[in-house]
Amino acid sequence: MTTGAANEDKDYVQSLVRGLDVIRTFSQYKPRMTLSEVAQHAGLTRAAARRFLLTLTREGYAATDGKYFFLRPKVLDLGFSYLSSLPMWEVAQPIMRDVVNALQESCSLSVLDGGDIVYVARVPTQRVMTIGLSIGSRLPAFCTSMGRTLLAGLPPAELAVFYDQVKLEKLTERTVANMVALKDAIEASRRQGYTLVDQELEMGLRSIAVPVRNRRSEVLAALNVSTHQGRSSIEAMKTRFLPVLLDAAERISASLPQ
Amino acid sequence: MTTGAANEDKDYVQSLVRGLDVIRTFSQYKPRMTLSEVAQHAGLTRAAARRFLLTLTREGYAATDGKYFFLRPKVLDLGFSYLSSLPMWEVAQPIMRDVVNALQESCSLSVLDGGDIVYVARVPTQRVMTIGLSIGSRLPAFCTSMGRTLLAGLPPAELAVFYDQVKLEKLTERTVANMVALKDAIEASRRQGYTLVDQELEMGLRSIAVPVRNRRSEVLAALNVSTHQGRSSIEAMKTRFLPVLLDAAERISASLPQ
């Protein structure tokens, strides 16, 4: 979203932003689009959409069959640039596999982006009923165990911005959706060093998360294990899951480059 | 990579391409860079690098601590645009989990991009020794089971371009690295409807792949299972793995939107 002020700034490269918006326009619901459809969805003139699409096509990020345009796998290289730039990304995955082997539940790693958590790694369990999340998936931070863990790790000024901007919404009957109770929950998360969330995102879903810190004790990411309320009691999550998670987070931290 | 001819084309939006190059400059080896380092690695002037970095920062794709710039998780949204635009992406994953449950080996899905295969989905097994591949990883097509499967599915003109451009290289003592033998292997893959590759990418690693086709019988992707030569004989891969893979590919095809 470009603002009027940004448009007038000589340091703002509008054609880069518009080109990225063209990429983002493609999705599950619009995987193949004509030039006119891209122009419409990206809010561009046909002439501008054509220049962006031809440029993306020439560079291998998109292709066309003459009528429809679609994205090419080279777009994944962009996301891969981000993932491979995360210091914990490579070291975390074998450690997360150990967590899944020990607990037989899926293990995920995420980072904060505004009011969302974004999954950067996930090792699913072999269970039939698992959750359809993968790298790049987003969930609201305020009602997830990883989200509250990451919020608890923010410097006070950044946390204040989050509180100013967050839209609370009851996603289940258990969602903590009032500001006082949410602040209490995030404070508790900071004091305890872990966050347990019981069916606030979806009924039946429970998860527990711990922070992954760097050598300066800053929170880089959150690591969690999620389960079904019928499979694991809250007590079992604290006595059996939590020590495994804390140990894994410690091993990831210890493996980080200095 | 911009060419002189492209630069002069009025339909070519050079600042989009340069901005994407700035994103690609970040990596595991250069996760945080100063303005000068970005300029140097992306082949830009400091003034140009500054404009791209400030634009990416303002739009939430990058951030800075005042000295160093780094990417933000929003970059993943770009790759996610591509993944979610793949018709088979969402339906494939539960079916791939069934393959892993049945065979206790990792299952992957990939597409072709020039001379490479690019992983678009992967369900790892719980074994301790697994392969460090994930979404976005690239491997050479000529010596991998998914690569030969995808090459066998190309229209003849596109396959001819591949043969013209491919650089064959012996990655192990078993790699098929001469053109006549490679063409034979790809022809055999087309006739048989599957590809088995035995330790051509890495000693010890065996894999078997089948095509995933759309309703018009075009090959959209390749689905494979990989194993260690000490765990599974070639015979077992043909008698036990292949029927499971063929069935899974058929189920993915049948689930595709019309």
Side-chain angles (χ1 to χ4, degrees), chain B residues 125-147:
Chain B
T125 174
Q126 306 275 6
R127 293 183 184 281
V128 174
M129 192 186 80
T130 62
I131 302 157
L133 290 169
S134 67
I135 291 176
S137 295
R138 286 172 180 265
L139 289 175
F142 82 96
C143 63
T144 51
S145 63
M146 290 193 284

Side-chain angles (χ1 to χ4, degrees), chain A residues 106-122:
Chain A
S106 302
C107 182
S108 303
L109 187 74
S110 72
V111 298
L112 198 63
D113 189 33
D116 292 336
I117 59 168
V118 181
Y119 280 70
V120 295
R122 181 168 163 83

Side-chain angles (χ1 to χ4, degrees), chain A residues 104-215:
Chain A
Q104 296 298 309
E105 297 286 359
S106 302
C107 182
S108 303
L109 187 74
S110 72
V111 298
L112 198 63
D113 189 33
D116 292 336
I117 59 168
V118 181
Y119 280 70
V120 295
R122 181 168 163 83
V123 178
T125 173
Q126 306 275 4
R127 290 184 187 279
V128 174
M129 194 186 77
T130 62
I131 302 157
L133 290 169
S134 66
I135 291 176
S137 295
R138 287 171 179 264
L139 289 175
F142 80 96
C143 63
T144 51
S145 64
M146 291 194 283
R148 289 196 195 144
T149 297
L150 293 163
L151 292 167
L154 284 182
E158 290 181 38
L159 184 55
V161 171
F162 169 82
Y163 285 138
D164 268 357
Q165 299 183 342
V166 67
K167 302 259 184 300
L168 301 180
E169 187 189 354
K170 274 192 103 59
L171 300 174
T172 74
E173 61 193 49
R174 288 170 180 259
T175 311
V176 171
N178 93 58
M179 196 58 93
V180 174
L182 179 65
K183 288 182 177 177
D184 283 351
I186 289 170
E187 273 315 302
S189 172
R190 193 197 320 264
R191 279 196 314 276
Q192 293 166 343
Y194 72 90
T195 312
L196 198 152
V197 167
D198 183 21
Q199 309 180 72
E200 295 190 37
L201 178 68
E202 191 174 297
M203 286 310 287
L205 181 67
R206 281 180 177 152
S207 71
I208 185 165
V210 301
V212 176
R213 298 176 185 276
N214 66 10
R215 306 292 172 108

